[in-house]
Amino acid sequence: MTQPASPPRTGTGKVPAAAPPPAWRALAGRADVRTLSLLGVLAVLIVIGGVTKPDEFLDTRNLQLVLTQASVIGVVTVGMTFVITSGGIDLSVGAIVALASVWATTVATQDFGFAGILFTAVIVGVGCGLVNGLLVAYGGLVPFIATLAMLASARGLALQITDGRTQIVTVDSVLSLGERDAYVLGIPPLVLVFAVVTVIGWLVLNRTTFGRRTVAVGGNAEAARLAGIDVRRQRLYLYLLSGLCCGIAAFLLIILSGSGQNTNGNLYELDAIAAAIIGGTLLTGGRGTITGSVLGVLIFTTITDIFALNNLQTDVQQIAKGAIIVAAVLVQRRTATST
């Protein structure tokens, strides 16, 4: 019989240790654990909602409402995930949504109908993202300061445009998208848009050179520069992407509310950052997950819905969200130190 080949030996006569598994396998394993954990949290929340308010929470209309509300902040979160993955931050997303929504609902803009409202919302979002990107990438400003300045400026301009009044949308083709007749197989159009943005965001981050460059810049900007990546241009593109997502979200919000207000998008920046963080996106950059961010959005939206159905105070809801954010950051730090 043929004897099995003996393992190779080193010069010292010892059998060499098995090669460690590739790093990507470890990362994939941790990603799966995070995703399953988030799905578990979401499942627990659904059970809580079903037990406390079974007739209301599990009603089809309520579930459609939860998904619709998640769609607006969800689109913003997709853009925020890219920015945070690159090691940046965008505190102006809520203000950009407000500015885009009021600029797109002025009387002059509505005269151009559906296309005019959509184009204005998107172009205003992209324009604000361009300013943020230029200030951060080429102006040398810290992202926190640059986007904080945009937050104040965009909010002020939105207030100036509206003069503190609500601008009612009169374009029927826009308003009809928020009606039940526009649902596709029971799914609201806003949810479909959110799904498309999510799929595109996932593909870009995980399957394109742009996504790999984003992760590289967030992991080590200097190493990325030495590897031939134009770090400044990449950061500019990322803030443009964030602005684009804000413009799309503003249009969805116009459909949902049928109006434009300078108070739109209030605290969206905090909700988007929180959803990205609990989803597994590393706050210091270098790691991002669109799937986790979307699950984070759904978790926060479900919590809000459960609190509203049970007539619980808003302050308790904010405390619960804050506790979740702190827990997520602590888990991230512990994971980072263990690896």
Side-chain angles (χ1 to χ4, degrees):
M1 295 178 63
T2 303
Q3 296 295 328
S6 59
R9 297 177 178 272
T10 63
T12 60
K14 297 181 179 180
V15 178
W24 65 267
R25 288 187 179 178
L27 289 173
R30 288 200 298 271
D32 289 340
V33 171
R34 285 195 301 269
T35 301
L36 291 175
S37 299
L38 292 170
L39 287 173
V41 172
L42 185 59
V44 170
L45 290 174
I46 292 175
V47 171
I48 293 175
V51 171
T52 57
K53 292 288 183 178
D55 296 334
E56 300 175 31
F57 180 79
L58 298 178
D59 183 72
T60 302
R61 289 175 179 258
N62 181 66
L63 296 178
Q64 290 172 336
L65 177 62
V66 171
L67 292 175
T68 301
Q69 292 175 339
S71 299
V72 181
I73 186 61
V75 172
V76 175
T77 303
V78 170
M80 181 69 78
T81 301
F82 277 88
V83 173
I84 296 178
T85 302
S86 71
I89 200 73
D90 191 348
L91 300 178
S92 63
V93 290
I96 294 176
V97 169
L99 178 59
S101 68
V102 300
W103 207 323
T105 54
T106 60
V107 175
T109 303
Q110 292 193 52
D111 287 341
F112 292 94
F114 182 98
I117 294 176
L118 174 59
F119 175 79
T120 303
V122 171
I123 203 66
V124 170
V126 172
C128 291
L130 175 62
V131 174
N132 280 336
L134 290 174
L135 291 175
V136 172
Y138 295 96
L141 290 183
V142 178
F144 182 91
I145 300 300
T147 57
L148 184 63
M150 175 59 71
L151 183 156
S153 301
R155 282 288 180 194
L157 184 55
L159 179 60
Q160 187 178 50
I161 291 175
T162 62
D163 197 22
R165 294 191 292 267
T166 300
Q167 298 177 163
I168 305 299
V169 176
T170 59
V171 180
D172 293 335
S173 57
V174 173
L175 297 174
S176 62
L177 292 177
E179 298 176 356
R180 296 189 64 83
D181 293 340
Y183 288 11
V184 179
L185 299 177
I187 303 175
L190 276 69
V191 179
L192 295 176
V193 173
F194 176 35
V196 171
V197 171
T198 298
V199 171
I200 294 175
W202 187 90
L203 290 174
V204 171
L205 185 60
N206 297 281
R207 294 292 185 268
T208 67
T209 303
F210 183 88
R212 290 192 290 272
R213 289 175 177 173
T214 301
V215 174
V217 170
N220 190 321
E222 181 61 20
R225 185 187 67 82
L226 294 175
I229 297 176
D230 191 332
V231 175
R232 294 191 298 179
R233 184 172 62 186
Q234 184 70 17
R235 285 173 173 163
L236 173 62
Y237 289 161
L238 289 168
Y239 281 99
L240 282 172
L241 177 60
S242 179
L244 173 62
C245 290
C246 289
I248 296 173
F251 183 71
L252 298 182
L253 191 57
I254 290 171
I255 296 173
L256 184 62
S257 63
S259 63
Q261 305 176 53
N262 65 284
T263 56
N264 282 343
N266 188 34
L267 296 181
Y268 271 20
E269 56 277 357
L270 299 183
D271 289 341
I273 293 171
I277 291 174
I278 71 169
T281 299
L282 198 61
L283 191 58
T284 54
R287 187 183 73 205
T289 163
I290 297 295
T291 302
S293 296
V294 170
L295 290 175
V297 169
L298 293 176
I299 287 173
F300 276 131
T301 309
T302 303
I303 290 175
T304 301
D305 184 65
I306 293 174
F307 273 68
L309 291 177
N310 287 276
N311 296 320
L312 297 177
Q313 297 295 328
T314 305
D315 53 355
V316 179
Q317 174 184 323
Q318 298 300 329
I319 293 173
K321 285 186 177 181
I324 293 174
I325 295 170
V326 172
V329 174
L330 290 176
V331 169
Q332 278 193 0
R333 293 187 61 182
R334 185 172 183 178
T335 303
T337 55
S338 63
T339 55

